[in-house]
């Protein structure tokens, strides 16, 4: 397979799985089938798509070539395609989580080894808990504490809106070291869900139900020393800095999921309304052009990450554009299918609900706008040749 044709081959392969995702999209959204059952019925090759090569002995195959989806520029293709099928199920995939990525970036070799060895053999979920009931995801005001007594580290606090929190067998918790203020006092800690003092509960959501948003409570939860991540690395790889670096790397993926939903809405209208008036056709053409443009922007942000020079501002711009497009495409699709569209087209109603969730993932629109503008004004937008800018 030539490098030039690889993206198309990946898209075609994952597109077949996406068509399968579509079959359970509504029943899972409506609660007629359990997320856990749908996930466990998926092919192991697909479930394991993001695992490192050394932990994956059943990779996806493109012809005779194994496909390990470890580069962000390939991951965004997978995320877009699977989200076209069902963004909820895409978010329910156990091993494609933010936590796994943070472990890759920040954990020592032993933690990484034990984490992946366990996950590779069981369809287990992990979570990454930042958001709090009183302070949202603002790290500076975070109240969950990590303190130390004679027996070791202890976590106290509450997290809310955490994806897969109630399903996770382990999770990463963002805490403030007791007695500190400012960004340097923040730590990322690995916590097992069997640990005494940990409780969790699922939350109801209007869309993206596969994401499994949850509330988590830590009441004097004890953690071993080596579960406080990044201690062996530089201070710039720890806590807030390590996590925000990870967000910059993964934000194109959130954009890719939103793009998948935008495309799903576009294709839905094309399938349902064969004849459009001139004004309607112009609107659809504009959405089609935006889908292609946004895909290029996401690909550019992903290539910067793969080049080892992630650009926070470029990732923000890509996510911003994709979120706006998902909103616009789903609203427009409802308009084009008439005043009763939400009742008559439950799948489109679901796309509309799902589209609204991306705004909240990995930084809201206000923050992305600030990132993009500051990056542009300080000449940090294009960190690497991405094939997009002159
Ligand atoms: C599908 C989904 C999955 C999620 N998964 C996770 C997860 O796995 N883990 C997790 O921890 N959380 C998760 N979240 C929660 C998500 O991260 C938060 O909802 C989001 O960060 C915003 O927090 P908030 O809703 O409390 O709003 P707030 O942080 O309170 O913000 C409210 C408003 O104020 C604006 N604002 C805040 N600070 C500033 C500022 N400095 N300058 C300008 N404007 C500002 C925001 O942009 C926003 O418009 C998820 C949410 C969804 C919908």
């Amino acid at each position: 397979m030539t490098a030039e044709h690889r993206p198309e081959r990946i898209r075609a392969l994952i597109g077949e799985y996406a068509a399968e995702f579509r079959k359970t999209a509504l029943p899972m959204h409506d609660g007629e089938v359990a997320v856990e059952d749908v996930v466990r019925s998926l092919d192991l090759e697909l479930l394991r798509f993001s695992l490192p090569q050394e932990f994956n002995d059943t990779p996806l195959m493109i012809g005779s070539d194994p496909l390990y989806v470890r580069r962000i520029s390939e991951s965004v293709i997978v995320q877009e395609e699977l989200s076209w099928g069902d963004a909820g199920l895409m978010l329910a995939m156990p091993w494609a989580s933010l936590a796994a990525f943070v472990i890759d970036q920040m954990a020592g070799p032993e933690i990484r080894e034990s984490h992946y060895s366990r996950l590779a053999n069981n369809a287990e979920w992990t979570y990454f808990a930042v958001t709090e009931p009183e302070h949202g995801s603002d790290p500076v005001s975070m109240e969950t504490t990590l303190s130390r007594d004679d027996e070791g580290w202890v976590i106290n606090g509450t997290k809310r809106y955490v994806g897969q929190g109630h399903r996770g067998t382990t999770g990463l918790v963002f805490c403030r070291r007791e007695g500190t203020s400012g960004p340097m006092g923040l730590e990322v800690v690995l916590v097992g869900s069997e640990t005494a003092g940990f409780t969790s509960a699922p939350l109801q959501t209007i869309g993206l139900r596969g994401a499994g948003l949850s509330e988590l409570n830590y009441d004097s939860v004890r953690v071993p020393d080596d579960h406080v991540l990044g201690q062996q690395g530089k201070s710039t790889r720890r806590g807030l800095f390590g996590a925000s670096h990870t967000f910059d790397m993964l934000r194109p993926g959130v954009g890719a999921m939103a793009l998948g939903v935008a495309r799903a809405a576009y294709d839905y209208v094309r399938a349902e309304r064969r004849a459009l008036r001139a004004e309607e056709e112009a609107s659809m053409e504009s959405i089609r052009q935006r889908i292609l443009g946004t895909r290029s922007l996401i690909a550019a942000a992903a290539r910067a990450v793969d080049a080892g020079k992630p650009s926070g501002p470029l990732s923000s711009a890509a996510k911003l554009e994709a979120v706006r497009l998902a909103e616009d495409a789903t609203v427009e699709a409802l308009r084009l299918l008439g005043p009763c569209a939400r009742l008559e087209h439950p799948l489109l109603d679901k796309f509309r609900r799902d589209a609204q969730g991306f705004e909240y993932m990995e930084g809201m629109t206000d923050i992305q706008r600030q990132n993009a503008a500051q990056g542009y004004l300080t000449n940090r937008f294009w960190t690497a040749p991405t094939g997009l800018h002159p």
Side-chain angles (χ1 to χ4, degrees), residues 91 98 128-132 135-138 160-163 208 211 213 357 359-367 370:
L91 282 166
L98 188 63
F128 186 59
V130 177
T131 311
E132 297 191 350
H135 305 288
S137 46
D138 172 14
R160 194 180 282 167
Y161 311 125
V162 177
L208 290 181
L213 297 198
E359 151 80 345
Y360 300 90
M361 295 174 69
E362 285 169 42
M364 298 178 76
T365 294
D366 305 341
I367 309 293
Q370 286 181 22

PDB file of all heavy atoms in Angstrom, residues 91 98 128-132 135-138 160-163 208 211 213 357 359-367 370, ligand 1:
ATOM      1  N   LEU A  91     -17.663   6.998  21.213  1.00  0.00           N
ATOM      2  CA  LEU A  91     -17.198   7.434  22.539  1.00  0.00           C
ATOM      3  C   LEU A  91     -17.258   6.309  23.570  1.00  0.00           C
ATOM      4  O   LEU A  91     -16.661   6.420  24.636  1.00  0.00           O
ATOM      5  CB  LEU A  91     -18.033   8.623  23.015  1.00  0.00           C
ATOM      6  CG  LEU A  91     -17.643   9.946  22.373  1.00  0.00           C
ATOM      7  CD1 LEU A  91     -18.709  10.997  22.613  1.00  0.00           C
ATOM      8  CD2 LEU A  91     -16.306  10.424  22.902  1.00  0.00           C
ATOM      9  N   LEU A  98      -9.169   9.080  26.422  1.00  0.00           N
ATOM     10  CA  LEU A  98      -8.213  10.127  26.785  1.00  0.00           C
ATOM     11  C   LEU A  98      -7.227   9.599  27.823  1.00  0.00           C
ATOM     12  O   LEU A  98      -6.033   9.876  27.778  1.00  0.00           O
ATOM     13  CB  LEU A  98      -9.018  11.285  27.383  1.00  0.00           C
ATOM     14  CG  LEU A  98      -8.306  12.579  27.686  1.00  0.00           C
ATOM     15  CD1 LEU A  98      -7.785  13.161  26.402  1.00  0.00           C
ATOM     16  CD2 LEU A  98      -9.273  13.559  28.324  1.00  0.00           C
ATOM     17  N   PHE A 128     -11.069   9.882  32.510  1.00  0.00           N
ATOM     18  CA  PHE A 128     -10.159  10.986  32.829  1.00  0.00           C
ATOM     19  C   PHE A 128     -11.006  12.096  33.448  1.00  0.00           C
ATOM     20  O   PHE A 128     -11.848  12.701  32.773  1.00  0.00           O
ATOM     21  CB  PHE A 128      -9.474  11.472  31.548  1.00  0.00           C
ATOM     22  CG  PHE A 128      -8.420  12.513  31.789  1.00  0.00           C
ATOM     23  CD1 PHE A 128      -7.326  12.247  32.594  1.00  0.00           C
ATOM     24  CD2 PHE A 128      -8.509  13.773  31.205  1.00  0.00           C
ATOM     25  CE1 PHE A 128      -6.346  13.201  32.814  1.00  0.00           C
ATOM     26  CE2 PHE A 128      -7.533  14.729  31.413  1.00  0.00           C
ATOM     27  CZ  PHE A 128      -6.449  14.443  32.215  1.00  0.00           C
ATOM     28  N   ALA A 129     -10.820  12.339  34.737  1.00  0.00           N
ATOM     29  CA  ALA A 129     -11.729  13.228  35.477  1.00  0.00           C
ATOM     30  C   ALA A 129     -11.092  14.583  35.768  1.00  0.00           C
ATOM     31  O   ALA A 129     -10.133  14.667  36.543  1.00  0.00           O
ATOM     32  CB  ALA A 129     -12.135  12.551  36.784  1.00  0.00           C
ATOM     33  N   VAL A 130     -11.625  15.602  35.122  1.00  0.00           N
ATOM     34  CA  VAL A 130     -11.169  16.978  35.340  1.00  0.00           C
ATOM     35  C   VAL A 130     -12.312  17.812  35.929  1.00  0.00           C
ATOM     36  O   VAL A 130     -12.159  18.493  36.951  1.00  0.00           O
ATOM     37  CB  VAL A 130     -10.718  17.633  34.002  1.00  0.00           C
ATOM     38  CG1 VAL A 130     -10.311  19.085  34.223  1.00  0.00           C
ATOM     39  CG2 VAL A 130      -9.589  16.850  33.375  1.00  0.00           C
ATOM     40  N   THR A 131     -13.484  17.755  35.293  1.00  0.00           N
ATOM     41  CA  THR A 131     -14.580  18.692  35.559  1.00  0.00           C
ATOM     42  C   THR A 131     -15.166  18.501  36.962  1.00  0.00           C
ATOM     43  O   THR A 131     -15.347  17.372  37.417  1.00  0.00           O
ATOM     44  CB  THR A 131     -15.683  18.498  34.495  1.00  0.00           C
ATOM     45  OG1 THR A 131     -15.054  18.495  33.208  1.00  0.00           O
ATOM     46  CG2 THR A 131     -16.713  19.602  34.546  1.00  0.00           C
ATOM     47  N   GLU A 132     -15.465  19.636  37.606  1.00  0.00           N
ATOM     48  CA  GLU A 132     -16.043  19.591  38.960  1.00  0.00           C
ATOM     49  C   GLU A 132     -17.381  20.320  38.996  1.00  0.00           C
ATOM     50  O   GLU A 132     -17.605  21.247  38.214  1.00  0.00           O
ATOM     51  CB  GLU A 132     -15.082  20.254  39.950  1.00  0.00           C
ATOM     52  CG  GLU A 132     -13.765  19.504  40.021  1.00  0.00           C
ATOM     53  CD  GLU A 132     -12.879  19.938  41.166  1.00  0.00           C
ATOM     54  OE1 GLU A 132     -13.188  20.972  41.818  1.00  0.00           O
ATOM     55  OE2 GLU A 132     -11.881  19.245  41.412  1.00  0.00           O
ATOM     56  N   HIS A 135     -16.821  24.203  39.691  1.00  0.00           N
ATOM     57  CA  HIS A 135     -15.826  24.993  38.955  1.00  0.00           C
ATOM     58  C   HIS A 135     -15.658  24.572  37.506  1.00  0.00           C
ATOM     59  O   HIS A 135     -14.703  25.003  36.852  1.00  0.00           O
ATOM     60  CB  HIS A 135     -14.468  24.907  39.660  1.00  0.00           C
ATOM     61  CG  HIS A 135     -14.536  25.308  41.082  1.00  0.00           C
ATOM     62  ND1 HIS A 135     -14.716  26.620  41.475  1.00  0.00           N
ATOM     63  CD2 HIS A 135     -14.516  24.579  42.208  1.00  0.00           C
ATOM     64  CE1 HIS A 135     -14.789  26.674  42.787  1.00  0.00           C
ATOM     65  NE2 HIS A 135     -14.669  25.455  43.264  1.00  0.00           N
ATOM     66  N   GLY A 136     -16.536  23.715  37.000  1.00  0.00           N
ATOM     67  CA  GLY A 136     -16.381  23.263  35.618  1.00  0.00           C
ATOM     68  C   GLY A 136     -14.998  22.678  35.430  1.00  0.00           C
ATOM     69  O   GLY A 136     -14.477  21.992  36.319  1.00  0.00           O
ATOM     70  N   SER A 137     -14.394  22.997  34.290  1.00  0.00           N
ATOM     71  CA  SER A 137     -13.069  22.440  34.030  1.00  0.00           C
ATOM     72  C   SER A 137     -11.971  23.488  34.215  1.00  0.00           C
ATOM     73  O   SER A 137     -10.878  23.329  33.660  1.00  0.00           O
ATOM     74  CB  SER A 137     -13.036  21.848  32.630  1.00  0.00           C
ATOM     75  OG  SER A 137     -13.612  22.767  31.736  1.00  0.00           O
ATOM     76  N   ASP A 138     -12.260  24.531  35.006  1.00  0.00           N
ATOM     77  CA  ASP A 138     -11.239  25.554  35.266  1.00  0.00           C
ATOM     78  C   ASP A 138     -10.212  24.999  36.263  1.00  0.00           C
ATOM     79  O   ASP A 138     -10.516  24.822  37.441  1.00  0.00           O
ATOM     80  CB  ASP A 138     -11.921  26.805  35.849  1.00  0.00           C
ATOM     81  CG  ASP A 138     -10.892  27.822  36.307  1.00  0.00           C
ATOM     82  OD1 ASP A 138      -9.711  27.687  35.931  1.00  0.00           O
ATOM     83  OD2 ASP A 138     -11.275  28.746  37.050  1.00  0.00           O
ATOM     84  N   ARG A 160     -17.620  15.683  38.035  1.00  0.00           N
ATOM     85  CA  ARG A 160     -18.919  15.506  37.365  1.00  0.00           C
ATOM     86  C   ARG A 160     -18.761  15.599  35.836  1.00  0.00           C
ATOM     87  O   ARG A 160     -17.877  16.302  35.372  1.00  0.00           O
ATOM     88  CB  ARG A 160     -19.910  16.561  37.862  1.00  0.00           C
ATOM     89  CG  ARG A 160     -21.339  16.229  37.469  1.00  0.00           C
ATOM     90  CD  ARG A 160     -22.315  17.269  37.962  1.00  0.00           C
ATOM     91  NE  ARG A 160     -22.617  17.147  39.374  1.00  0.00           N
ATOM     92  CZ  ARG A 160     -23.250  18.082  40.082  1.00  0.00           C
ATOM     93  NH1 ARG A 160     -23.619  19.206  39.513  1.00  0.00           N
ATOM     94  NH2 ARG A 160     -23.509  17.902  41.358  1.00  0.00           N
ATOM     95  N   TYR A 161     -19.664  14.971  35.132  1.00  0.00           N
ATOM     96  CA  TYR A 161     -19.659  14.929  33.653  1.00  0.00           C
ATOM     97  C   TYR A 161     -18.432  14.184  33.119  1.00  0.00           C
ATOM     98  O   TYR A 161     -17.857  14.569  32.093  1.00  0.00           O
ATOM     99  CB  TYR A 161     -19.701  16.342  33.035  1.00  0.00           C
ATOM    100  CG  TYR A 161     -20.756  17.234  33.599  1.00  0.00           C
ATOM    101  CD1 TYR A 161     -20.431  18.484  34.119  1.00  0.00           C
ATOM    102  CD2 TYR A 161     -22.080  16.837  33.626  1.00  0.00           C
ATOM    103  CE1 TYR A 161     -21.400  19.310  34.655  1.00  0.00           C
ATOM    104  CE2 TYR A 161     -23.054  17.657  34.159  1.00  0.00           C
ATOM    105  CZ  TYR A 161     -22.709  18.888  34.682  1.00  0.00           C
ATOM    106  OH  TYR A 161     -23.667  19.693  35.215  1.00  0.00           O
ATOM    107  N   VAL A 162     -18.022  13.148  33.812  1.00  0.00           N
ATOM    108  CA  VAL A 162     -16.833  12.401  33.389  1.00  0.00           C
ATOM    109  C   VAL A 162     -17.257  11.216  32.513  1.00  0.00           C
ATOM    110  O   VAL A 162     -18.051  10.374  32.951  1.00  0.00           O
ATOM    111  CB  VAL A 162     -16.053  11.896  34.616  1.00  0.00           C
ATOM    112  CG1 VAL A 162     -14.851  11.058  34.174  1.00  0.00           C
ATOM    113  CG2 VAL A 162     -15.601  13.078  35.458  1.00  0.00           C
ATOM    114  N   GLY A 163     -16.711  11.179  31.284  1.00  0.00           N
ATOM    115  CA  GLY A 163     -17.050  10.107  30.351  1.00  0.00           C
ATOM    116  C   GLY A 163     -16.597   8.750  30.874  1.00  0.00           C
ATOM    117  O   GLY A 163     -15.449   8.593  31.289  1.00  0.00           O
ATOM    118  N   LEU A 208     -25.286  11.879  22.858  1.00  0.00           N
ATOM    119  CA  LEU A 208     -24.000  11.207  23.094  1.00  0.00           C
ATOM    120  C   LEU A 208     -24.076  10.293  24.312  1.00  0.00           C
ATOM    121  O   LEU A 208     -23.207  10.313  25.187  1.00  0.00           O
ATOM    122  CB  LEU A 208     -22.878  12.248  23.289  1.00  0.00           C
ATOM    123  CG  LEU A 208     -22.470  13.054  22.055  1.00  0.00           C
ATOM    124  CD1 LEU A 208     -21.331  14.021  22.385  1.00  0.00           C
ATOM    125  CD2 LEU A 208     -22.052  12.163  20.871  1.00  0.00           C
ATOM    126  N   ALA A 211     -21.320   8.065  25.686  1.00  0.00           N
ATOM    127  CA  ALA A 211     -20.181   8.646  26.417  1.00  0.00           C
ATOM    128  C   ALA A 211     -20.242   8.312  27.900  1.00  0.00           C
ATOM    129  O   ALA A 211     -19.232   8.370  28.596  1.00  0.00           O
ATOM    130  CB  ALA A 211     -20.135  10.163  26.220  1.00  0.00           C
ATOM    131  N   LEU A 213     -21.632   9.773  30.706  1.00  0.00           N
ATOM    132  CA  LEU A 213     -21.219  10.814  31.663  1.00  0.00           C
ATOM    133  C   LEU A 213     -21.634  10.415  33.080  1.00  0.00           C
ATOM    134  O   LEU A 213     -22.713   9.856  33.280  1.00  0.00           O
ATOM    135  CB  LEU A 213     -21.826  12.170  31.297  1.00  0.00           C
ATOM    136  CG  LEU A 213     -21.398  12.761  29.955  1.00  0.00           C
ATOM    137  CD1 LEU A 213     -21.701  14.253  29.899  1.00  0.00           C
ATOM    138  CD2 LEU A 213     -19.921  12.535  29.680  1.00  0.00           C
ATOM    139  N   GLY A 357     -23.204  18.048  21.950  1.00  0.00           N
ATOM    140  CA  GLY A 357     -22.278  17.623  23.007  1.00  0.00           C
ATOM    141  C   GLY A 357     -20.830  18.037  22.762  1.00  0.00           C
ATOM    142  O   GLY A 357     -20.075  18.257  23.707  1.00  0.00           O
ATOM    143  N   GLU A 359     -19.373  20.689  21.742  1.00  0.00           N
ATOM    144  CA  GLU A 359     -19.006  22.009  22.258  1.00  0.00           C
ATOM    145  C   GLU A 359     -18.330  21.904  23.630  1.00  0.00           C
ATOM    146  O   GLU A 359     -17.394  22.627  23.951  1.00  0.00           O
ATOM    147  CB  GLU A 359     -20.294  22.852  22.316  1.00  0.00           C
ATOM    148  CG  GLU A 359     -20.364  23.948  23.373  1.00  0.00           C
ATOM    149  CD  GLU A 359     -19.622  25.212  22.994  1.00  0.00           C
ATOM    150  OE1 GLU A 359     -18.830  25.151  22.051  1.00  0.00           O
ATOM    151  OE2 GLU A 359     -19.823  26.229  23.660  1.00  0.00           O
ATOM    152  N   TYR A 360     -18.800  20.947  24.448  1.00  0.00           N
ATOM    153  CA  TYR A 360     -18.340  20.851  25.838  1.00  0.00           C
ATOM    154  C   TYR A 360     -17.085  20.020  26.002  1.00  0.00           C
ATOM    155  O   TYR A 360     -16.521  19.972  27.082  1.00  0.00           O
ATOM    156  CB  TYR A 360     -19.464  20.250  26.712  1.00  0.00           C
ATOM    157  CG  TYR A 360     -20.699  21.098  26.682  1.00  0.00           C
ATOM    158  CD1 TYR A 360     -21.685  20.871  25.728  1.00  0.00           C
ATOM    159  CD2 TYR A 360     -20.859  22.148  27.578  1.00  0.00           C
ATOM    160  CE1 TYR A 360     -22.804  21.668  25.668  1.00  0.00           C
ATOM    161  CE2 TYR A 360     -21.986  22.945  27.526  1.00  0.00           C
ATOM    162  CZ  TYR A 360     -22.944  22.701  26.564  1.00  0.00           C
ATOM    163  OH  TYR A 360     -24.052  23.506  26.502  1.00  0.00           O
ATOM    164  N   MET A 361     -16.683  19.318  24.961  1.00  0.00           N
ATOM    165  CA  MET A 361     -15.553  18.393  25.115  1.00  0.00           C
ATOM    166  C   MET A 361     -14.226  19.096  24.841  1.00  0.00           C
ATOM    167  O   MET A 361     -14.063  19.727  23.814  1.00  0.00           O
ATOM    168  CB  MET A 361     -15.713  17.210  24.151  1.00  0.00           C
ATOM    169  CG  MET A 361     -16.915  16.356  24.486  1.00  0.00           C
ATOM    170  SD  MET A 361     -17.184  15.078  23.257  1.00  0.00           S
ATOM    171  CE  MET A 361     -15.782  14.039  23.539  1.00  0.00           C
ATOM    172  N   GLU A 362     -13.308  18.939  25.769  1.00  0.00           N
ATOM    173  CA  GLU A 362     -11.946  19.480  25.639  1.00  0.00           C
ATOM    174  C   GLU A 362     -11.905  20.960  25.304  1.00  0.00           C
ATOM    175  O   GLU A 362     -11.222  21.385  24.383  1.00  0.00           O
ATOM    176  CB  GLU A 362     -11.142  18.645  24.640  1.00  0.00           C
ATOM    177  CG  GLU A 362     -10.746  17.330  25.272  1.00  0.00           C
ATOM    178  CD  GLU A 362     -10.176  16.344  24.306  1.00  0.00           C
ATOM    179  OE1 GLU A 362      -9.383  16.762  23.474  1.00  0.00           O
ATOM    180  OE2 GLU A 362     -10.546  15.169  24.393  1.00  0.00           O
ATOM    181  N   GLY A 363     -12.669  21.713  26.068  1.00  0.00           N
ATOM    182  CA  GLY A 363     -12.602  23.161  25.949  1.00  0.00           C
ATOM    183  C   GLY A 363     -13.739  23.724  25.134  1.00  0.00           C
ATOM    184  O   GLY A 363     -13.983  23.288  24.003  1.00  0.00           O
ATOM    185  N   MET A 364     -14.447  24.704  25.733  1.00  0.00           N
ATOM    186  CA  MET A 364     -15.612  25.265  25.054  1.00  0.00           C
ATOM    187  C   MET A 364     -15.203  26.348  24.060  1.00  0.00           C
ATOM    188  O   MET A 364     -14.053  26.757  23.997  1.00  0.00           O
ATOM    189  CB  MET A 364     -16.594  25.786  26.103  1.00  0.00           C
ATOM    190  CG  MET A 364     -17.079  24.632  26.981  1.00  0.00           C
ATOM    191  SD  MET A 364     -18.192  25.138  28.266  1.00  0.00           S
ATOM    192  CE  MET A 364     -19.695  25.406  27.357  1.00  0.00           C
ATOM    193  N   THR A 365     -16.211  26.808  23.314  1.00  0.00           N
ATOM    194  CA  THR A 365     -15.943  27.719  22.196  1.00  0.00           C
ATOM    195  C   THR A 365     -15.181  28.973  22.615  1.00  0.00           C
ATOM    196  O   THR A 365     -14.231  29.380  21.937  1.00  0.00           O
ATOM    197  CB  THR A 365     -17.284  28.081  21.523  1.00  0.00           C
ATOM    198  OG1 THR A 365     -17.781  26.884  20.939  1.00  0.00           O
ATOM    199  CG2 THR A 365     -17.124  29.139  20.465  1.00  0.00           C
ATOM    200  N   ASP A 366     -15.562  29.581  23.757  1.00  0.00           N
ATOM    201  CA  ASP A 366     -14.865  30.805  24.194  1.00  0.00           C
ATOM    202  C   ASP A 366     -13.366  30.560  24.325  1.00  0.00           C
ATOM    203  O   ASP A 366     -12.531  31.358  23.904  1.00  0.00           O
ATOM    204  CB  ASP A 366     -15.352  31.250  25.596  1.00  0.00           C
ATOM    205  CG  ASP A 366     -16.837  31.430  25.640  1.00  0.00           C
ATOM    206  OD1 ASP A 366     -17.430  31.571  24.574  1.00  0.00           O
ATOM    207  OD2 ASP A 366     -17.396  31.430  26.747  1.00  0.00           O
ATOM    208  N   ILE A 367     -13.052  29.395  24.927  1.00  0.00           N
ATOM    209  CA  ILE A 367     -11.644  29.085  25.192  1.00  0.00           C
ATOM    210  C   ILE A 367     -10.910  28.795  23.872  1.00  0.00           C
ATOM    211  O   ILE A 367      -9.778  29.258  23.662  1.00  0.00           O
ATOM    212  CB  ILE A 367     -11.543  27.836  26.120  1.00  0.00           C
ATOM    213  CG1 ILE A 367     -12.417  28.002  27.361  1.00  0.00           C
ATOM    214  CG2 ILE A 367     -10.104  27.504  26.478  1.00  0.00           C
ATOM    215  CD1 ILE A 367     -11.991  29.068  28.319  1.00  0.00           C
ATOM    216  N   GLN A 370     -10.130  32.008  22.153  1.00  0.00           N
ATOM    217  CA  GLN A 370      -8.981  32.683  22.775  1.00  0.00           C
ATOM    218  C   GLN A 370      -7.675  32.020  22.345  1.00  0.00           C
ATOM    219  O   GLN A 370      -6.709  32.702  21.989  1.00  0.00           O
ATOM    220  CB  GLN A 370      -9.086  32.628  24.303  1.00  0.00           C
ATOM    221  CG  GLN A 370     -10.114  33.558  24.874  1.00  0.00           C
ATOM    222  CD  GLN A 370     -10.147  33.480  26.396  1.00  0.00           C
ATOM    223  OE1 GLN A 370      -9.198  33.074  27.043  1.00  0.00           O
ATOM    224  NE2 GLN A 370     -11.253  33.885  26.976  1.00  0.00           N
TER     225      GLN A 370
HETATM  226  C1  LIG B   1     -19.866  14.381  25.826  1.00  0.00           C
HETATM  227  C2  LIG B   1     -19.091  14.968  26.952  1.00  0.00           C
HETATM  228  C3  LIG B   1     -17.992  14.264  27.453  1.00  0.00           C
HETATM  229  C4  LIG B   1     -17.267  14.787  28.533  1.00  0.00           C
HETATM  230  N1  LIG B   1     -16.232  14.059  29.035  1.00  0.00           N
HETATM  231  C5  LIG B   1     -15.552  14.520  30.116  1.00  0.00           C
HETATM  232  C6  LIG B   1     -14.522  13.737  30.697  1.00  0.00           C
HETATM  233  O1  LIG B   1     -14.240  12.619  30.242  1.00  0.00           O
HETATM  234  N2  LIG B   1     -13.876  14.236  31.780  1.00  0.00           N
HETATM  235  C7  LIG B   1     -14.175  15.450  32.311  1.00  0.00           C
HETATM  236  O2  LIG B   1     -13.550  15.840  33.283  1.00  0.00           O
HETATM  237  N3  LIG B   1     -15.170  16.232  31.795  1.00  0.00           N
HETATM  238  C8  LIG B   1     -15.857  15.786  30.711  1.00  0.00           C
HETATM  239  N4  LIG B   1     -16.886  16.533  30.179  1.00  0.00           N
HETATM  240  C9  LIG B   1     -17.238  17.808  30.801  1.00  0.00           C
HETATM  241  C10 LIG B   1     -16.684  18.975  30.004  1.00  0.00           C
HETATM  242  O3  LIG B   1     -15.276  18.928  30.007  1.00  0.00           O
HETATM  243  C11 LIG B   1     -17.225  20.256  30.645  1.00  0.00           C
HETATM  244  O4  LIG B   1     -18.625  20.303  30.461  1.00  0.00           O
HETATM  245  C12 LIG B   1     -16.621  21.451  30.001  1.00  0.00           C
HETATM  246  O5  LIG B   1     -15.244  21.452  30.278  1.00  0.00           O
HETATM  247  C13 LIG B   1     -17.213  22.768  30.472  1.00  0.00           C
HETATM  248  O6  LIG B   1     -17.350  22.783  31.834  1.00  0.00           O
HETATM  249  P1  LIG B   1     -18.688  23.389  32.420  1.00  0.00           P
HETATM  250  O7  LIG B   1     -19.820  22.735  31.687  1.00  0.00           O
HETATM  251  O8  LIG B   1     -18.725  23.221  33.892  1.00  0.00           O
HETATM  252  O9  LIG B   1     -18.594  24.921  32.067  1.00  0.00           O
HETATM  253  P2  LIG B   1     -17.628  26.031  32.708  1.00  0.00           P
HETATM  254  O10 LIG B   1     -16.193  25.530  32.721  1.00  0.00           O
HETATM  255  O11 LIG B   1     -18.205  26.480  33.994  1.00  0.00           O
HETATM  256  O12 LIG B   1     -17.774  27.169  31.628  1.00  0.00           O
HETATM  257  C14 LIG B   1     -19.038  27.843  31.423  1.00  0.00           C
HETATM  258  C15 LIG B   1     -18.840  28.902  30.352  1.00  0.00           C
HETATM  259  O13 LIG B   1     -17.836  29.865  30.763  1.00  0.00           O
HETATM  260  C16 LIG B   1     -16.830  29.956  29.769  1.00  0.00           C
HETATM  261  N5  LIG B   1     -15.516  30.173  30.395  1.00  0.00           N
HETATM  262  C17 LIG B   1     -14.971  29.474  31.423  1.00  0.00           C
HETATM  263  N6  LIG B   1     -13.721  29.928  31.708  1.00  0.00           N
HETATM  264  C18 LIG B   1     -13.489  30.928  30.836  1.00  0.00           C
HETATM  265  C19 LIG B   1     -12.382  31.793  30.620  1.00  0.00           C
HETATM  266  N7  LIG B   1     -11.266  31.719  31.363  1.00  0.00           N
HETATM  267  N8  LIG B   1     -12.482  32.709  29.625  1.00  0.00           N
HETATM  268  C20 LIG B   1     -13.600  32.808  28.850  1.00  0.00           C
HETATM  269  N9  LIG B   1     -14.681  32.026  29.029  1.00  0.00           N
HETATM  270  C21 LIG B   1     -14.629  31.098  29.991  1.00  0.00           C
HETATM  271  C22 LIG B   1     -16.857  28.624  29.053  1.00  0.00           C
HETATM  272  O14 LIG B   1     -16.335  28.686  27.731  1.00  0.00           O
HETATM  273  C23 LIG B   1     -18.354  28.331  29.023  1.00  0.00           C
HETATM  274  O15 LIG B   1     -18.997  28.994  27.965  1.00  0.00           O
HETATM  275  C24 LIG B   1     -17.626  16.051  29.108  1.00  0.00           C
HETATM  276  C25 LIG B   1     -18.724  16.757  28.586  1.00  0.00           C
HETATM  277  C26 LIG B   1     -19.448  16.220  27.538  1.00  0.00           C
HETATM  278  C27 LIG B   1     -20.624  16.984  27.019  1.00  0.00           C
END
